[in-house]
Amino acid sequence: MIHSLFIINSQGDVFLEKHWRSVISRSVCDYYLEAQRANSKDINPVITTPHHYLISIQRSGVSYVAVCMEEIPPLFVIEFLHRIVDTFQDYFSDCTESIIKENYVIVYELLDEMLDNGFPLATESNILKELIKPPNILRTIANTVTGKTNVSEILPSGQLSNIPWRRSGVKYTNNEAYFDVIEEVDAIIDKSGATVFAEIQGYIDCCIKLSGMPDLTLSFMNPRLFDDVSFHPCVRYKRWEAEKVLSFIPPDGNFRLISYHINTQSSVAIPVYVRHNLSIKTGEQARLDLTVGPKQTLGRTVEGVKLEVLMPKCILNCVLTANQGKYNFDPVSKMLHWDIGKIDITKLPNIRGSVSIASGTNTAEINPSINVHFGINQLAVSGLKVNRLDMYGEKYKPFKGVKYMTKAGRFQIRM
């Protein structure tokens, strides 16, 4: 299974290594670093070496490289590496190089519990927090004085049950269940404004603070929208297959209940448009004009709008005027950033001005692309709606809430 894990910073230095089955020299990471130097933005997640397989992910500028000695399903290892990073974020609120270094002891304790002889063991946050207490200042001082560790001497109650994701004896004064339905729109729009490609990556994140052992049932108005789904282990899959209803005993706290994918283009509404014009006036001058507006948002406000225009290398400088927001042009990376914020439909955001072009450039090759970022509250662009949430097994009435959010994923417009 997984023999070793190496954590590498953005400079290519291994700052943490953990071995489970056998000690593997960190020189094996040279194969990964070569691939990183060749193309840092598109590293093959599986690298084959003469004696090992390197399976890696990148999160927050840090690379996590798992080393295996035999063939193994790569998605299994990739999912486990993401679970490690999610656990670190749950414990430390972030997962950067400096934070990992500050919490070396707890990181090694977590890795010891999460993997046993190379095989995943305890990966649920609830179980891990009973085994290894999250760090705080008082506990750190007490451990320094007494020489104790964060590791509990008592095995968590959920570890031996058939519901390992939920600890027993949970009690809350206020019983609450919140669901965030978040959808990311991936799209490619061509010059004429036609949609070349569009799909939605969605997920439902939950914050459950319920006493006892509640059994929840979540139903949707239109569950047939889902093309592809993946569930938290708590979901009863047979019930979903038969009735398209999510039935589950939830973990305590925050977790992702379901991830889904919608690739039927008729179901993917494009929430914003960009009117663009780049006209070549003379051999060394051009005029750029961009206008952003809402489209198919059901009257919701589009917020957090940012445009990143990747200019060709022949563009020397941009002198522009924006009626809303701020812009800056980086002459090295050739990236024009325009931070708009909220779109006011009474006065649509516009930026225009002159663009300097290097002399002798073939103007037919000037084809910038625009990456768009945005967010829309209280809107699921696919039309997905939660119908109702029912609770069984407990007598109290919980407070329930559902929030919808649409934001841009990989949203590109070609000029």
Side-chain angles (χ1 to χ4, degrees):
M1 210 50 169
I2 299 174
H3 281 247
S4 300
L5 172 69
F6 296 94
I7 304 182
I8 304 171
N9 63 17
S10 54
Q11 286 78 42
D13 300 322
V14 178
F15 66 91
L16 186 145
E17 58 185 275
K18 172 69 177 167
H19 307 281
W20 286 278
R21 305 190 73 171
S22 57
V23 177
I24 294 172
S25 170
R26 64 170 60 183
S27 61
V28 75
C29 296
D30 292 344
Y31 293 98
Y32 173 81
L33 296 173
E34 280 177 26
Q36 189 182 49
R37 282 191 289 269
N39 188 353
S40 61
K41 293 185 178 178
D42 189 19
I43 304 169
N44 192 339
V46 182
I47 299 171
T48 307
T49 74
H51 303 290
H52 307 95
Y53 296 96
L54 306 184
I55 301 174
S56 62
I57 65 167
Q58 295 79 40
R59 296 264 297 263
S60 304
V62 177
S63 301
Y64 301 80
V65 182
V67 182
C68 305
M69 300 282 281
E70 61 278 325
E71 283 195 26
I72 183 175
L75 288 177
F76 183 85
V77 180
I78 288 170
E79 177 63 26
F80 179 73
L81 291 175
H82 280 295
R83 185 62 65 89
I84 287 176
V85 181
D86 291 341
T87 302
F88 290 171
Q89 287 179 337
D90 196 19
Y91 266 73
F92 315 128
S93 77
D94 204 353
C95 193
T96 60
E97 178 188 357
S98 58
I99 286 175
I100 292 174
K101 284 181 174 178
E102 285 171 15
N103 297 279
Y104 263 146
V105 173
I106 295 178
V107 166
Y108 275 107
E109 289 171 348
L110 285 169
L111 292 174
D112 268 330
E113 297 296 340
M114 294 182 78
L115 216 66
D116 182 33
N117 196 33
F119 292 88
L121 180 63
T123 58
E124 282 296 328
S125 181
N126 283 302
I127 298 298
L128 288 167
K129 282 181 177 176
E130 282 194 67
L131 279 167
I132 300 161
K133 299 290 185 289
N136 62 41
I137 294 171
L138 289 175
R139 194 174 289 123
T140 303
I141 294 170
N143 289 349
T144 305
V145 173
T146 60
K148 292 183 178 179
T149 69
N150 287 328
V151 180
S152 171
E153 295 178 0
I154 304 167
L155 194 67
S157 54
Q159 185 79 346
L160 301 176
S161 76
N162 60 352
I163 309 172
W165 52 84
R166 186 173 182 86
R167 58 194 173 91
S168 60
V170 180
K171 288 184 180 179
Y172 286 102
T173 307
N174 297 318
N175 293 283
E176 305 166 327
Y178 298 108
F179 296 85
D180 291 348
V181 180
I182 301 168
E183 296 189 338
E184 296 182 0
V185 183
D186 296 341
I188 297 174
I189 314 296
D190 68 9
K191 282 184 178 181
S192 64
T195 304
V196 177
F197 161 84
E199 66 178 17
I200 293 170
Q201 308 285 350
Y203 45 91
I204 299 177
D205 285 343
C206 309
C207 178
I208 306 291
K209 295 182 177 180
L210 299 175
S211 305
M213 196 66 72
D215 197 326
L216 303 182
T217 301
L218 185 71
S219 60
F220 300 95
M221 301 278 278
N222 39 8
R224 303 290 171 188
L225 280 171
F226 297 126
D227 288 324
D228 187 19
V229 290
S230 68
F231 300 110
H232 188 277
C234 68
V235 175
R236 299 181 179 99
Y237 186 63
K238 285 186 178 179
R239 180 91 184 267
W240 171 261
E241 285 281 273
E243 304 173 36
K244 296 297 179 190
V245 166
L246 293 177
S247 174
F248 58 99
I249 295 175
D252 181 39
N254 298 304
F255 67 100
R256 180 158 296 175
L257 179 65
I258 175 177
S259 300
Y260 60 89
H261 179 218
I262 298 172
N263 59 10
T264 310
Q265 292 220 4
S266 60
S267 302
V268 183
I270 303 300
V272 297
Y273 67 85
V274 178
R275 282 202 302 267
H276 50 81
N277 183 34
L278 182 64
S279 55
I280 312 296
K281 288 209 158 194
T282 65
E284 298 178 10
Q285 283 291 322
R287 292 286 299 174
L288 176 67
D289 193 331
L290 299 174
T291 303
V292 186
K295 176 184 176 185
Q296 296 177 307
T297 61
L298 300 178
R300 306 291 184 192
T301 305
V302 185
E303 301 174 339
V305 181
K306 294 180 184 178
L307 265 61
E308 296 174 351
V309 186
L310 181 59
M311 296 291 193
K313 291 182 179 177
C314 60
I315 301 296
L316 300 177
N317 196 18
C318 299
V319 181
L320 307 170
T321 303
N323 71 349
Q324 184 178 336
K326 296 179 181 179
Y327 86 92
N328 69 288
F329 176 71
D330 185 350
V332 177
S333 64
K334 307 297 182 185
M335 185 71 79
L336 170 66
H337 294 270
W338 182 23
D339 191 343
I340 298 169
K342 188 184 295 186
I343 292 181
D344 181 4
I345 56 172
T346 59
K347 186 182 179 184
L348 294 179
N350 174 268
I351 189 169
R352 62 179 69 182
S354 61
V355 176
S356 303
I357 305 171
S359 58
T361 301
N362 181 2
T363 55
E365 295 178 357
I366 301 176
N367 296 308
S369 62
I370 306 171
N371 292 322
V372 185
H373 304 273
F374 59 82
I376 308 171
N377 281 315
Q378 293 307 321
L379 175 71
V381 76
S382 66
L384 181 71
K385 278 192 169 58
V386 172
N387 182 24
R388 59 183 296 165
L389 174 71
D390 296 312
M391 187 182 77
Y392 306 96
E394 299 292 339
K395 293 182 179 179
Y396 57 82
K397 282 191 175 181
F399 180 82
K400 300 173 279 190
V402 179
K403 186 174 77 175
Y404 299 91
M405 175 77 181
T406 294
K407 56 185 181 180
R410 294 186 297 272
F411 196 100
Q412 187 181 81
I413 296 172
R414 294 170 177 171
M415 292 175 63

